[in-house]
Every structure is written in structure tokens, then in C-alpha cells.
């Protein structure tokens, strides 16, 4: 079995809060909803049943605590199975644990006294820190998935090089068979990544790269075989080298699309970059101006999760309609 030996370089900043996949967005959205609903609790004043205490707030606080615990358990499992990002994931899990503890204390104190603006403010700041920590953990887990895909790409690249270095037709057949096996594995992983990518352009680029890889990989055997039969003919060498280069470029296209780092990014960028970070900052800063709870829901839930999802849907609809 071929193994990847060269280092894998990931074009991501681990400190970034950019969400690139639908899975991360889906996992994060319930927690955002729970937190913003908790902040929106008891804005009409104290309960008539229990002086200043809110049963709903206590229930919501518990749901946030349980959701945080689920993230911790999943994060620990991912960190345990990760090789390239183990240290980063362990640190991210510990940060979620720390911020979760702070949020638990702050939300319980707020639930006991939901009319206190000071306790509400403390809880909002704790919620901001918790959401940032959970987001970073999810993004690191997503990066770990990409690292596994890049490891597959390295293996395919090495199998491809072996095909190119075949010395006779039997050797070519054996090496191409191994290359084909690795191609099947890569196609499965790449197809799954394609479905998860948020950005429509990156999904299209991944599909195009996968198609180009499949098309040129089938021609690679014939071109290589012709070259081995007629090594002195310049045209057979040129043809083999051309197909080989096309396969390499397709592999590079899969790598770029998987990381959402296409060549056009520098000019145009992807929708949603930095939106969560900006929303979290607004979430904290506007609190100083005695922000109403409904505004919190707007800035956190709609500004990032809902609008980003609808924007992607509109873009897909526009493309299909055009």
C-alpha cells in the first residue's frame, strides 16, 4: 500500500472564525438559537409566580449546558483520533470547557435574577466567549477532515508518480492498478467534501476537478502504454507527459476546492468570511448601549446563520435560473 511521506500543508488560519462547510453551520446554529433565546428571556419583567425568578431561563440555561457538554465529548473524540491537529484540538476543547463553565455560572445567576442588567450583561459576554470557542473547535474539526483528504491526495500523487516511472507494460499494469484503488478512495472522500462546501463556486470547482481527474486518469494508462511501446517517438512522450500534467492539475484543483482557496478568492473572496467574528463583536459592543434582547437575536442569529444560508440559496437559484 502506498503511504504519504511528504508534509501536508493546509492553507487555513486556525485562528480564523470563517465557516466553510454546511456541517459546521448546522452544528452551530442550535447553540446560537439557545443562547439568544436565553438572552431574550424575561424581558417583560419578573414572573408573578416567583419573585424575579424565571423557570424558562433555568431550562434554557440547562439546555445550553447540555449542548456544550455534547460539543466537549465530540471534540475529545476527534482530538483522540487526530494526528496532525491533536494539540490544537485539545486546546480548543479545553477552551470550550472553560468558557462553558463561565457560561453555566453566568446563566444560572441570570436565571435567578433575570431583571438584573448587570447579570444579563455578564451572561451575554460569557455567551460570546462560548460561541467563539465552540466555533473554533468545530472549524478545527473541519480542518482535520480536510487534512485527511489532503493525505489521500498525497497518496494518489505518489501512486501517479509510480505509474510515470513504470519500466515495462507489466510494471505499468501493476502500478496503474494500485493507482486506481487510491483513486476510488479519493473520489469518495472528495465527493463527500463537495457536498459539504458552503460556497457554490468551490463546489463547482471540486466537481470540475473530480471530473477532470476521472477523464484524464483513464487516458493515462493508454498514453503511458504507448510511450513504453515507442519510447523513441517524441509524440508518445509528449502525449504521456501532457496527460500526466492534466492529472496533477486536477489533483491540485481538488486540494484548492477542499480548502475553499480557489485562485479567485484573493480578488472576490467568499461570502461569509469574518461575518461570525463581526457578529460576535457587535454582540458584545452593542451591549454597552443597553441593547434590547431582540437586537441580540438579530445580530447573532440572522446576521450570520440565517442570512448566510439564504444568500447561498439565492445564489444557487440565480445560477439555475440563468
Amino acid at each position: 500500500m502506498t503511504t504519504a511521506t511528504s508534509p501536508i500543508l493546509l492553507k487555513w488560519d486556525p485562528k480564523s472564525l470563517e465557516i466553510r462547510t454546511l456541517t459546521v453551520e448546522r452544528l452551530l446554529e442550535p447553540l446560537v438559537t439557545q443562547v439568544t433565546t436565553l438572552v431574550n428571556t424575561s424581558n417583560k419583567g419578573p414572573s408573578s409566580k416567583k419573585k424575579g425568578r424565571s423557570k424558562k431561563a433555568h431550562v434554557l440555561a440547562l439546555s445550553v449546558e447540555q449542548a456544550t457538554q455534547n460539543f466537549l465529548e465530540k471534540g475529545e473524540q476527534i482530538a483522540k483520533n487526530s494526528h496532525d491537529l491533536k494539540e490544537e484540538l485539545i486546546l480548543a476543547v479545553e477552551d470550550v470547557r472553560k468558557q462553558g463553565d463561565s457560561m453555566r455560572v453566568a446563566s444560572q445567576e441570570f436565571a435567578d435574577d433575570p431583571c438584573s442588567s448587570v447579570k444579563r450583561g455578564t451572561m451575554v459576554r460569557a455567551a460570546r466567549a462560548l460561541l467563539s470557542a465552540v466555533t473554533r473547535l468545530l472549524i478545527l474539526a473541519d480542518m482535520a477532515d480536510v487534512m485527511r483528504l489532503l493525505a489521500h491526495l498525497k497518496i494518489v500523487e505518489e501512486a501517479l508518480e509510480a505509474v510515470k516511472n513504470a519500466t515495462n507494460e507489466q510494471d505499468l499494469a501493476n502500478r496503474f492498478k494500485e493507482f486506481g484503488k487510491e483513486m476510488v478512495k479519493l473520489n469518495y472522500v472528495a465527493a463527500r467534501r463537495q457536498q459539504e462546501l458552503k460556497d457554490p463556486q468551490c463546489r463547482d470547482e471540486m466537481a470540475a476537478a473530480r471530473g477532470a481527474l476521472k477523464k484524464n486518469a483513464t487516458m493515462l494508462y493508454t498514453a503511458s502504454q504507448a510511450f513504453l511501446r515507442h519510447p523513441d517517438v517524441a509524440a508518445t512522450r509528449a502525449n504521456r507527459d501532457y496527460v500526466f500534467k492534466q492529472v496533477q492539475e486536477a489533483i491540485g484543483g481538488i486540494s484548492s476546492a477542499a480548502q475553499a482557496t480557489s485562485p479567485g478568492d484573493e480578488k472576490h473572496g467568499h461570502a461569509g468570511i469574518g461575518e461570525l467574528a463581526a457578529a460576535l463583536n457587535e454582540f458584545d459592543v452593542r451591549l454597552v448601549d443597553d441593547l434590547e434582547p431582540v437586537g441580540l437575536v438579530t445580530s447573532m442569529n440572522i446576521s450570520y446563520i440565517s442570512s448566510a444560508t439564504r444568500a447561498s440559496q439565492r445564489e444557487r437559484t440565480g445560477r439555475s435560473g440563468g
Side-chain angles (χ1 to χ4, degrees):
M1 179 179 176
T2 310
T3 57
T5 55
S6 53
I8 299 171
L9 300 177
L10 192 65
K11 302 174 184 177
W12 279 17
D13 178 6
K15 296 180 181 179
S16 170
L17 286 178
E18 180 187 349
I19 296 176
R20 303 170 187 241
T21 60
L22 298 171
T23 295
V24 172
E25 190 173 90
R26 284 195 297 265
L27 289 171
L28 185 62
E29 185 171 4
L31 181 61
V32 173
T33 301
Q34 289 169 339
V35 168
T36 51
T37 304
L38 175 59
V39 173
N40 197 32
T41 300
S42 303
N43 60 317
K44 295 181 180 179
S47 168
S48 59
K49 295 180 180 179
K50 289 188 179 180
K51 207 164 127 181
R53 290 172 66 89
S54 170
K55 181 179 179 181
K56 183 180 179 183
H58 279 288
V59 173
L60 287 168
L62 180 60
S63 69
V64 171
E65 184 179 347
Q66 291 173 337
T68 303
Q69 184 58 38
N70 289 336
F71 281 122
L72 285 171
E73 292 174 0
K74 292 177 181 177
E76 288 172 346
Q77 185 62 38
I78 293 170
K80 182 180 178 181
N81 297 329
S82 177
H83 299 291
D84 301 292
L85 296 173
K86 181 181 287 290
E87 292 183 9
E88 291 88 344
L89 283 164
I90 290 174
L91 289 174
V93 168
E94 289 308 310
D95 191 31
V96 171
R97 194 187 311 280
K98 174 184 174 182
Q99 303 306 336
D101 289 342
S102 297
M103 179 63 183
R104 175 176 53 79
V105 173
S107 61
Q108 287 296 333
E109 291 180 351
F110 166 69
D112 288 339
D113 188 10
C115 295
S116 170
S117 59
V118 173
K119 291 179 179 178
R120 183 188 293 271
T122 300
M123 184 189 66
V124 168
R125 283 186 286 271
R128 178 187 185 277
L130 176 60
L131 288 170
S132 293
V134 170
T135 301
R136 184 158 289 117
L137 174 60
L138 290 174
I139 289 173
L140 280 170
D142 192 38
M143 290 171 69
D145 281 341
V146 175
M147 294 291 281
R148 283 190 286 272
L149 187 150
L150 296 182
H152 278 287
L153 285 173
K154 286 290 183 183
I155 293 173
V156 170
E157 285 179 331
E158 291 173 5
L160 175 63
E161 190 66 25
V163 169
K164 186 177 182 180
N165 294 331
T167 56
N168 56 63
E169 289 191 50
Q170 184 57 53
D171 188 28
L172 173 65
N174 293 336
R175 296 187 181 197
F176 194 83
K177 183 178 180 180
E178 183 66 26
F179 173 71
K181 289 179 181 178
E182 300 302 338
M183 279 277 295
V184 171
K185 295 176 186 177
L186 172 62
N187 186 59
Y188 172 77
V189 178
R192 189 172 61 182
R193 183 68 185 175
Q194 179 183 322
Q195 292 176 346
E196 288 299 318
L197 287 168
K198 278 185 60 185
D199 190 272
Q201 179 182 340
C202 286
R203 285 199 301 273
D204 291 345
E205 289 170 356
M206 176 70 84
R210 287 176 57 222
L213 182 58
K214 182 178 179 181
K215 173 186 174 183
N216 289 286
T218 55
M219 294 191 295
L220 181 63
Y221 183 79
T222 303
S224 299
Q225 189 178 51
F227 169 70
L228 287 173
R229 288 178 179 176
H230 307 283
D232 297 329
V233 178
T236 61
R237 177 185 290 274
N239 188 47
R240 192 279 307 265
D241 290 347
Y242 173 77
V243 176
F244 180 81
K245 184 180 179 181
Q246 292 297 107
V247 173
Q248 284 184 315
E249 290 179 354
I251 291 173
I254 291 177
S255 175
S256 294
Q259 300 178 72
T261 55
S262 62
D265 288 353
E266 295 181 1
K267 294 182 179 180
H268 306 292
H270 290 303
I273 294 179
E275 284 186 14
L276 180 60
L280 287 169
N281 285 330
E282 182 182 0
F283 191 50
D284 195 34
V285 171
R286 290 183 61 189
L287 175 68
V288 179
D289 300 323
D290 197 20
L291 174 67
E292 291 185 0
V294 173
L296 289 172
V297 177
T298 302
S299 67
M300 284 302 301
N301 214 4
I302 298 175
S303 188
Y304 180 73
I305 302 293
S306 300
S307 66
T309 302
R310 287 199 296 269
S312 294
Q313 291 173 342
R314 284 198 300 270
E315 184 168 348
R316 287 197 295 272
T317 303
R319 289 191 174 197
S320 61

